[in-house]
């Protein structure tokens, strides 16, 4: 298993290019199941979850073919399969995103029920309930969701909790349903807007994306499309913190600051200087980091996917801060590892109290999930001496060449293959 080794203490400087958003590409890939024509997606990040999803698509008869710098052509190969196998779903929960498109296009889907993961139980009850509302007959047998419907019928469905992939699944399913679907209490994440824009360019009739009510008028068939996915707002936020935690100054290019308002506001509160342009951000940190409390909530509030990285920053603040995780019940796994590096953090339920000002020392630590790994790398950048982050395959799921990008900014960081 690969490791990342960091020698802490270097200030970051320079320019970093932000990659496309993993969480926009995956639903975009799933949307290609809705048409027999070619879909071309651009700005695809080279990350492991995207590769895994390509295998899933291939098993379902859509052959992803990469070309150019970061483009992908998705074309149905004539064979049809309705089954997302356990072995693929267990490695990537976002596989659930094929349920709505398969059912809507073929009238049949068999998708392994995703289990829990390191950050929480993560049920998919609303995906199932919503599809039932659109007329699907759904059973769960032998660990698989078996869904059937001759043709889905438009209906009204209100999510009882905000769900990102749940909204995406029902949105995709409704595009080919008969009649009008009204989805209420939808998630409003930028990745959902991006998916809706792709679907619209495929011929779908959608209104209200980016608000909590989305109205979809079903069409008979969707066509091919050409679409560039949005930049990754979580990679952007992670690099902003990387610059600030090292007391450095960097420019982030090819990003979308408007999707990071809550993160930018919070980082400014801690004393970080941030200048935004339409598609770039300049980050500078001089002086000490002030503590600022945060709680995670659905977009447009502070994202759970930035909580672990923000906690690494708060270990370097000059006071006490409180972080509350409201989305996932077990997303504090990085704390034990940060403590091994010298951080002072007390946890009570979903709340962590971080006493800043303690110096961090390099240690051997273990990545437990994607964003936790990012947090440990950020801590390693400022820890005294050497930090070795094990189980780095987690970071490869969602960050494209993080050690290369940090290395170009001046970090002493290397990947050791084993
Ligand atoms: N939930 C239910 N029932 C459902 C669906 C969700 O109770 O049917 C609960 C979840 O257990 C959780 C909350 O609702 O407590 C929100 O979960 P959501 O469904 O929004 O999460 P997700 O769609 O599975 C996506 C991202 C995650 C990100 C969350 C929250 C993708 C592929 N994944 O997951 O990204 O943390 O939204 O913003 O878009 C990551 O990139 O590291 C990552 C985990």
């Amino acid at each position: 298993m690969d490791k990342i080794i960091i020698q802490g203490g270097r200030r970051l400087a320079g320019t970093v290019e932000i990659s496309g958003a993993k969480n926009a590409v995956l639903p975009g890939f799933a949307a290609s199941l809705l048409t027999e024509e070619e879909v071309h997606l651009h700005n695809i990040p080279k990350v492991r979850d995207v590769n895994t999803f390509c295998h899933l698509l291939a098993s379902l008869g859509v052959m992803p073919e990469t070309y150019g710098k970061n483009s992908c052509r998705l074309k149905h190969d004539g064979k049809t399969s309705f089954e997302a196998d356990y072995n693929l779903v267990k490695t990537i929960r976002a596989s659930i995103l094929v349920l709505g498109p398969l059912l809507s296009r073929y009238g049949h889907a068999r998708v392994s029920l995703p289990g829990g993961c390191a950050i929480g139980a993560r049920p998919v009850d609303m995906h199932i309930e919503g599809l039932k509302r659109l007329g699907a007959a759904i059973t769960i047998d032998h660990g698989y969701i078996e869904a059937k419907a001759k043709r889905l019928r438009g209906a009204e469905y209100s999510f009882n909790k905000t769900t990102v992939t749940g909204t995406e699944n029902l949105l995709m399913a409704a595009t080919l349903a008969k009649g009008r679907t009204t989805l209420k209490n939808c998630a409003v994440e930028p990745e959902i807007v991006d998916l809706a824009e792709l679907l619209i360019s495929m011929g779908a009739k959608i209104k209200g994306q980016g608000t909590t009510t989305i109205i979809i008028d079903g069409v008979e068939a969707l066509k091919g499309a050409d679409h560039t996915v949005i930049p990754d707002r979580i990679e952007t936020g992670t690099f902003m913190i990387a610059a600030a935690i090292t007391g450095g100054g960097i420019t982030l290019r090819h990003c979308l600051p408007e999707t990071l308002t809550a993160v930018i506001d919070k980082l400014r509160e801690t004393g970080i200087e941030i200048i935004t342009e339409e598609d770039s951000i300049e980050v500078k940190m001089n002086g000490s980091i002030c503590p600022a409390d945060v709680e995670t909530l659905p977009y447009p509030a502070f994202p759970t996917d930035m909580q672990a990285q923000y906690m690494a920053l708060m270990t370097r603040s000059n006071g006490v801060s409180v972080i509350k995780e409201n989305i996932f019940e077990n997303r504090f796994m990085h704390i034990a590892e940060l403590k091994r590096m010298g951080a002072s953090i007390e946890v009570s339920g979903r709340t962590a109290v971080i006493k800043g000002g303690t110096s961090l020392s390099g240690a051997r630590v273990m990545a437990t999930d994607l964003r936790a790994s990012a947090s440990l790398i950020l801590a390693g950048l400022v820890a005294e001496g050497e930090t070795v982050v094990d189980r780095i395959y987690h970071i490869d799921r969602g960050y494209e060449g993080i050690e290369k990008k940090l290395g170009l900014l001046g970090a002493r960081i290397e990947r050791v293959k084993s």
Side-chain angles (χ1 to χ4, degrees), residues 31 78 132 141 157 175 192 232 240 253 340 394 402 412:
K132 281 186 179 166
D141 262 327
Y157 180 70
T175 57
I192 294 169
D232 196 308
M240 289 172 76
R253 291 187 56 216
R340 295 187 57 250
H394 288 292
I402 193 167
R412 270 178 296 182

Side-chain angles (χ1 to χ4, degrees), residues 134-153:
L134 297 185
I138 302 188
T139 52
I140 294 175
D141 262 327
H142 306 291
Y144 277 80
I145 305 167
E146 180 101 38
K148 287 187 181 160
K150 242 187 171 166
R151 183 172 178 196
L152 293 175
R153 297 183 307 270

Side-chain angles (χ1 to χ4, degrees), residues 22-23 26-27 93-94 97 119 121-127 161-166 168 189 233 304-305 326-329 331 370-371:
K22 160 184 87 79
N23 289 348
L26 303 181
R93 302 187 83 266
L97 285 167
I119 62 176
R122 304 184 75 180
V124 291
D125 53 305
M126 288 182 278
H127 300 235
K161 191 175 179 183
T162 310
T163 163
V164 176
T165 49
E168 291 165 345
E189 267 67 1
R233 62 194 163 99
T304 173
D305 291 345
N326 290 312
I327 308 293
F328 293 113
E329 65 273 21
R331 213 172 198 181
L370 171 56
R371 310 303 170 187

